[in-house]
Amino acid sequence: MPDPRTDELDEAFHKIEGEAPGRLRRAIRWIRTPKARLLRVPLGILFILGSFLWFLPVLGLWFLPVGLLLIAQDVPFLRRPVGRMTLYLHDRWIRLRDGWRRRRAARHP
């Protein structure tokens, strides 16, 4: 039987890949490969540290979930909570985007 923690994180990554444009989709697939671990962990830590600089124009709190996603790939106890958080945020994003599209369609029939 597959590990449910793996399933949630993998499902979250697959949903993100489905929303991403081509180049970003390929980058996500590559960063998840075992050979990218040496880049994934330090990059995840940098993203988390960058999230503390949320008040700067380019950096933001969005760095935190990205950093956690990168690290969760290699840290077993983070896989389930990060997978669940990502699935929750993805669902909220889809609802928000669909609401915007419905409102725009109602204004411009």
Side-chain angles (χ1 to χ4, degrees), residues 24-39:
L24 184 57
R25 185 176 300 144
R26 286 190 299 275
I28 292 169
R29 280 191 207 127
W30 180 81
I31 200 76
R32 294 187 65 213
T33 62
K35 63 183 176 187
R37 183 174 190 211
L38 291 175
L39 178 65

Side-chain angles (χ1 to χ4, degrees), residues 40-93:
R40 190 171 46 237
V41 173
L43 192 60
I45 292 169
L46 286 174
F47 268 91
I48 291 171
L49 292 175
S51 72
F52 292 112
L53 302 173
W54 58 268
F55 53 87
L56 296 175
V58 176
L59 304 175
L61 285 177
W62 65 272
F63 271 37
L64 183 62
V66 173
L68 287 173
L69 267 171
L70 290 170
I71 290 178
Q73 187 72 28
D74 299 307
V75 180
F77 71 88
L78 286 177
R79 292 181 70 87
R80 188 173 187 193
V82 170
R84 284 184 174 182
M85 173 198 67
T86 306
L87 291 172
Y88 173 80
L89 292 174
H90 181 268
D91 181 53
R92 294 296 173 244
W93 164 248

